[in-house]
Amino acid sequence: MVKETIRVYARVKPVGRRQQAGIYSVDDNEKTVSSLEIIVPRDLADGFVNNKRENYKFKFQKIFDQEAKQDVIFESIAKPVAECALAGYNGTIFAYGQTGSGKTFTITGGAERYSDRGIIPRTLSYIFEQLQKDSSKVYTTHVSYLEIYNECGYDLLDPRHEASRMDDLPKVTIMEDPDQNIHLKNLSLQQAANEEEALNLLFLGDTNRMIAETPMNQASTRSHCIFTIHLSSKEPGSATIRRSKLHLVDLAGSERVTKTGVGGHLLTEAKYINLSLHYLEQVIIALAEKNRSHIPYRNSMMTSVLRDSLGGNCMTTMIATLSLDKRNIDESISTCRFAQRVALIKNEAVLNEEIDPRLMIAQLKKEIQDLKDELALVTGEQRTAELSQEELDELTERFLEDNDPESILDVGPDMRKIKYCFIHMKKLMNHSRISENQLLSQNILEEEDTSMQPRKEELKLKELLQQRDSEISILCEEKKIFRFELILMSLGCQEAFEVFKRDHADNHLKGEITQRHIQRAALGKNISDIYKMMFNHLKGLKVEIEHLQLLMEKAKVKLRKDFEVWWSEEATKLQLGSCISSPTVNKLVHFGVKNCQISGKKSRNAEVESANILACFRTLPSSSSSIPLTGDSQVDADILAFIKARENILQKKGKFPVN
């Protein structure tokens, strides 16, 4: 068992000299660790009195600046972990940092130059190079490529699917056994016999990854990817197998939505990425605390998969990628703080050795056969797995039928006979025990029958008593009937009816009648309540109707007064003869004659106005030919009809002769 804390390294992304000047400094004077000091420039917008912290200092195993090459990164960080994996220990290397800080470039590498290869291809080259050199063991290599996108796992190396879309890839689910070991269902293990096959599988998985362009990075990986190398080694002729796995993890970058300004689908991806990284930080904080009983591994799929890598059976290394320009100082400080928490976690790496079950079965079979041969040599007889019928008869019937109490059963050093005798003796003991139980139960039943005899006599006496009570009740009824007949014979009809009521009172019918009275009273009460409620409602409606009628009367009076005033004015104009021949005035006159009576009662003012109207009518020309027409056929027809009706009225009343 190897106990050590997680090793933490830092890599600074190359930025412009003008941007990084005065922001950070690296101190490599210390022997074992390097220090990174981040200087926060003073913001004049905060005023002269500013208590904000201006410098931060963090310690790492080693800090790589923008001049560090990919081969140097591999030699310092990944090579020691790969050597441990070859020795039989589990290993994990993961990169953490904000989006665009160089995580994917560090883990996978760039595609432009061969020298830009990342940790994964260089680790594959190194492992297969070492396997070719070591001929003392037989090695088997498998690889798997898991992508965690929006908290769903996908197999990037499944050969049965053509990944034209993300949904075409098989989904991976997490299974946990009783020993709390994590198993990934539907995650395929692809065997790689050499470096070329392993690199082809890596390239296949990279083409299926979810990549999108964001304001912070033109090729931002939108998912967490875990490339795992499974190694197994065994020496020829040995039953011991060493198994190890090496996780190479490329985490998606954390990003602030307010800064990137993404929306829609990219915003949903950013939420899942930040949430899973938040759960990872919770696990790191819980592991760094002492006496913490619960570690929230199950909050996300990524922390469940990396359960062994964080505080378990693994040798883990972390790379904190930083982009130290003025815009990303806060994110860089947060990444460094996360790295300092990770550095406090202690892992216990154990050499993963197990016995080959197939080889163990073969060895056990060979050992059993050797023992059988040795036993046959000692006893001088070849024994089979089962006893013969003659041997069985000798062990059972002959020995049991022998009446000699001092007879001895000779089984010799034969375990088959000894086992058979014990089995037969067990059967006999069980049979005798069953016989004793049956005998005991039979005695108990007999005792119960004896004890139940008085109980049966008691039941018979009760039945006889009930029968006598029934006979007595019948006799009483007959006596009542006889008594009633005697009363009928001796008394009158009214007295006999009273006696009948007294003797044949039915309490049940009385109870029903009383209940009916109560129900009827309750129903009458309810009806009265409903009646009162409806009466009050109708009373309110009546008040409202009376109020509306009053308002209507007032409106009629006002309308009548307004009309009288208006009509007086119009009549005055007609008397002056200003508009006698106007069709509009003719219609108004007709309207006044028709509507001067309101509600069937003619007022005094209306009579005066009617007289004025008639006086005006006398001044109207009697011939329709002198009436000026408008040219509209409908209007002219109305005017002529009005003139004709006026002349008829005047003729009937004798006001002026017809022309």
Side-chain angles (χ1 to χ4, degrees):
M1 181 183 296
V2 179
K3 294 183 179 181
E4 67 172 8
T5 57
I6 296 178
R7 297 186 178 186
V8 179
Y9 298 86
R11 186 177 190 182
V12 180
K13 180 185 178 182
V15 295
R17 293 289 182 182
R18 183 175 59 83
Q19 290 181 340
Q20 70 176 358
I23 293 181
Y24 76 97
S25 61
V26 179
D27 184 9
D28 291 330
N29 294 329
E30 301 183 28
K31 294 182 179 180
T32 56
V33 296
S34 300
S35 298
L36 175 66
E37 184 176 5
I38 301 176
I39 302 170
V40 181
R42 180 182 291 273
D43 191 357
L44 297 178
D46 296 333
F48 293 100
V49 180
N50 184 4
N51 295 325
K52 290 184 178 180
R53 188 174 176 181
E54 296 182 358
N55 60 339
Y56 298 83
K57 193 172 183 180
F58 303 98
K59 293 183 179 181
F60 296 91
Q61 294 287 335
K62 193 172 182 179
I63 300 173
F64 302 92
D65 58 7
Q66 64 270 18
E67 302 297 335
K69 302 297 182 182
Q70 293 283 68
D71 55 349
V72 177
I73 299 292
F74 171 75
E75 291 290 336
S76 303
I77 299 176
K79 186 176 179 180
V81 182
E83 291 176 349
C84 293
L86 289 171
Y89 294 94
N90 295 332
T92 299
I93 302 173
F94 70 96
Y96 180 90
Q98 73 174 102
T99 181
S101 60
K103 298 181 301 300
T104 304
F105 181 79
T106 302
I107 297 296
T108 305
E112 297 179 357
R113 296 178 299 178
Y114 183 76
S115 60
D116 290 340
R117 292 182 304 155
I119 289 177
I120 296 179
R122 292 178 183 272
T123 302
L124 290 173
S125 300
Y126 177 76
I127 287 177
F128 281 103
E129 181 182 352
Q130 297 300 315
L131 295 184
Q132 290 179 358
K133 291 180 180 179
D134 189 4
S135 59
S136 62
K137 298 179 181 179
V138 178
Y139 289 93
T140 305
T141 308
H142 294 80
V143 296
S144 64
Y145 210 166
L146 171 66
E147 179 180 30
I148 303 175
Y149 175 71
N150 291 353
E151 282 302 312
C152 293
Y154 297 94
D155 182 14
L156 297 178
L157 300 181
D158 187 66
R160 298 170 297 175
H161 298 79
E162 295 180 359
S164 59
R165 297 182 306 166
M166 176 63 68
D167 295 336
D168 294 337
L169 295 173
K171 287 190 177 182
V172 179
T173 56
I174 295 177
M175 309 291 288
E176 186 174 351
D177 60 16
D179 296 331
Q180 295 185 348
N181 296 319
I182 297 298
H183 303 277
L184 299 176
K185 186 180 179 181
N186 295 332
L187 181 63
S188 62
L189 289 178
Q190 304 295 330
Q191 185 173 1
N194 49 47
E195 179 184 354
E196 182 180 359
E197 293 181 2
L199 290 176
N200 289 335
L201 292 171
L202 173 63
F203 298 151
L204 174 63
D206 286 338
T207 55
N208 293 331
R209 287 194 64 176
M210 180 59 63
I211 298 175
E213 181 179 355
T214 64
M216 298 290 291
N217 190 0
Q218 292 182 353
S220 175
T221 52
R222 312 304 294 169
S223 61
H224 310 296
C225 285
I226 303 174
F227 185 84
T228 307
I229 305 172
H230 301 265
L231 296 173
S232 61
S233 62
K234 185 181 69 170
E235 295 181 356
S238 175
T240 303
I241 299 178
R242 289 186 179 180
R243 301 184 187 275
S244 61
K245 55 185 177 181
L246 176 59
H247 294 303
L248 303 173
V249 185
D250 180 19
L251 298 177
S254 62
E255 57 188 31
R256 294 189 178 182
V257 178
T258 56
K259 179 179 290 188
T260 58
V262 296
H265 191 61
L266 291 177
L267 178 61
T268 304
E269 293 175 346
K271 289 179 181 179
Y272 278 105
I273 291 170
N274 292 337
L275 183 62
S276 60
L277 293 177
H278 169 68
Y279 288 141
L280 175 62
E281 187 172 3
Q282 282 187 340
V283 171
I284 297 299
I285 293 173
L287 290 171
E289 294 179 359
K290 294 182 179 180
N291 301 325
R292 181 69 178 263
S293 60
H294 173 67
I295 308 299
Y297 288 112
R298 295 187 181 92
N299 284 349
S300 70
M301 185 174 188
M302 182 181 62
T303 54
S304 298
V305 175
L306 299 179
R307 186 169 188 168
D308 286 340
S309 304
L310 303 172
N313 176 23
C314 189
M315 303 183 72
T316 306
T317 300
M318 174 189 168
I319 306 172
T321 57
L322 308 174
S323 179
L324 289 174
D325 55 7
K326 292 182 180 180
R327 296 174 301 173
N328 302 322
I329 289 180
D330 293 338
E331 289 83 351
S332 299
I333 293 173
S334 177
T335 301
C336 292
R337 286 176 174 170
F338 178 80
Q340 302 305 302
R341 295 192 193 100
V342 172
L344 300 176
I345 300 174
K346 292 183 179 181
N347 286 351
E348 296 181 357
V350 179
L351 188 62
N352 300 303
E353 290 184 340
E354 62 183 29
I355 305 299
D356 188 359
R358 293 175 297 178
L359 187 59
M360 178 61 68
I361 291 172
Q363 288 182 351
L364 291 175
K365 286 183 178 180
K366 185 176 181 304
E367 184 177 356
I368 291 172
Q369 187 61 40
D370 293 340
L371 291 174
K372 286 182 178 180
D373 295 340
E374 184 178 355
L375 183 61
L377 182 63
V378 172
T379 58
E381 58 181 6
Q382 191 71 28
R383 294 178 180 176
T384 59
E386 301 292 337
L387 294 172
S388 62
Q389 187 63 37
E390 184 179 355
E391 291 175 336
L392 293 175
D393 295 340
E394 182 180 358
L395 291 174
T396 55
E397 295 179 1
R398 295 177 184 175
F399 178 72
L400 294 175
E401 291 176 357
D402 192 358
N403 296 325
D404 187 4
E406 296 182 357
S407 62
I408 299 173
L409 179 63
D410 186 12
V411 296
D414 194 344
M415 289 300 299
R416 300 174 302 164
K417 295 181 179 181
I418 295 173
K419 288 181 180 179
Y420 182 80
C421 289
F422 273 102
I423 292 172
H424 192 70
M425 182 178 66
K426 185 177 180 180
K427 290 180 180 179
L428 292 176
M429 292 294 295
N430 291 333
H431 181 70
S432 62
R433 190 177 301 168
I434 292 172
S435 300
E436 291 178 358
N437 292 334
Q438 290 178 351
L439 182 60
L440 181 61
S441 61
Q442 185 176 0
N443 293 333
I444 291 172
L445 290 175
E446 291 178 356
E447 291 177 358
E448 289 180 353
D449 292 339
T450 305
S451 61
M452 287 295 293
Q453 192 68 27
R455 178 66 178 172
K456 292 179 180 179
E457 294 179 358
E458 183 180 356
L459 292 175
K460 287 182 180 180
L461 291 174
K462 284 184 177 181
E463 291 178 358
L464 182 60
L465 182 61
Q466 289 178 356
Q467 185 178 1
R468 294 292 182 268
D469 291 339
S470 300
E471 293 176 356
I472 292 171
S473 61
I474 292 171
L475 292 175
C476 291
E477 291 293 331
E478 291 179 354
K479 181 179 178 182
K480 286 182 180 180
I481 294 171
F482 180 71
R483 181 169 171 269
F484 180 69
E485 292 177 352
L486 290 176
I487 290 172
L488 288 177
M489 294 173 62
S490 60
L491 298 177
C493 182
Q494 185 65 28
E495 290 81 359
F497 179 70
E498 294 295 331
V499 173
F500 177 79
K501 285 199 300 182
R502 186 180 66 249
D503 293 342
H504 295 81
D506 195 340
N507 295 326
H508 177 66
L509 290 176
K510 286 184 179 180
E512 284 189 359
I513 293 171
T514 305
Q515 183 134 14
R516 291 288 179 88
H517 285 313
I518 293 172
Q519 290 178 356
R520 187 171 296 175
L523 183 60
K525 184 178 180 181
N526 293 335
I527 292 174
S528 63
D529 293 338
I530 294 172
Y531 173 75
K532 288 180 181 179
M533 183 176 66
M534 295 298 294
F535 176 76
N536 293 330
H537 180 65
L538 293 175
K539 188 176 180 181
L541 292 177
K542 181 180 179 182
V543 172
E544 186 175 356
I545 291 170
E546 290 176 353
H547 178 67
L548 293 175
Q549 288 178 349
L550 180 61
L551 292 177
M552 188 182 296
E553 292 296 329
K554 289 181 179 180
K556 286 181 180 180
V557 172
K558 185 176 182 302
L559 180 62
R560 186 186 304 117
K561 290 181 180 180
D562 293 341
F563 175 75
E564 289 174 356
V565 172
W566 174 78
W567 184 252
S568 299
E569 293 175 356
E570 294 296 327
T572 304
K573 292 178 183 180
L574 290 173
Q575 289 176 0
L576 294 175
S578 60
C579 299
I580 294 301
S581 62
S582 173
T584 305
V585 174
N586 294 334
K587 288 185 178 182
L588 293 174
V589 171
H590 177 69
F591 179 77
V593 172
K594 187 176 180 180
N595 296 289
C596 62
Q597 293 183 357
I598 299 175
S599 301
K601 295 181 181 180
K602 191 171 185 181
S603 64
R604 184 179 302 274
N605 293 331
E607 293 177 356
V608 174
E609 296 302 329
S610 298
N612 294 332
I613 292 169
L614 293 175
C616 294
F617 284 165
R618 293 189 184 96
T619 62
L620 290 173
S622 60
S623 177
S624 62
S625 62
S626 62
I627 300 299
L629 300 177
T630 62
D632 189 350
S633 59
Q634 184 65 34
V635 174
D636 294 342
D638 293 339
I639 292 173
L640 295 175
F642 171 73
I643 295 300
K644 186 176 181 180
R646 178 181 64 81
E647 292 176 353
N648 293 333
I649 293 172
L650 293 176
Q651 287 178 6
K652 289 180 181 180
K653 291 188 177 182
K655 299 297 180 179
F656 55 89
V658 180
N659 291 331

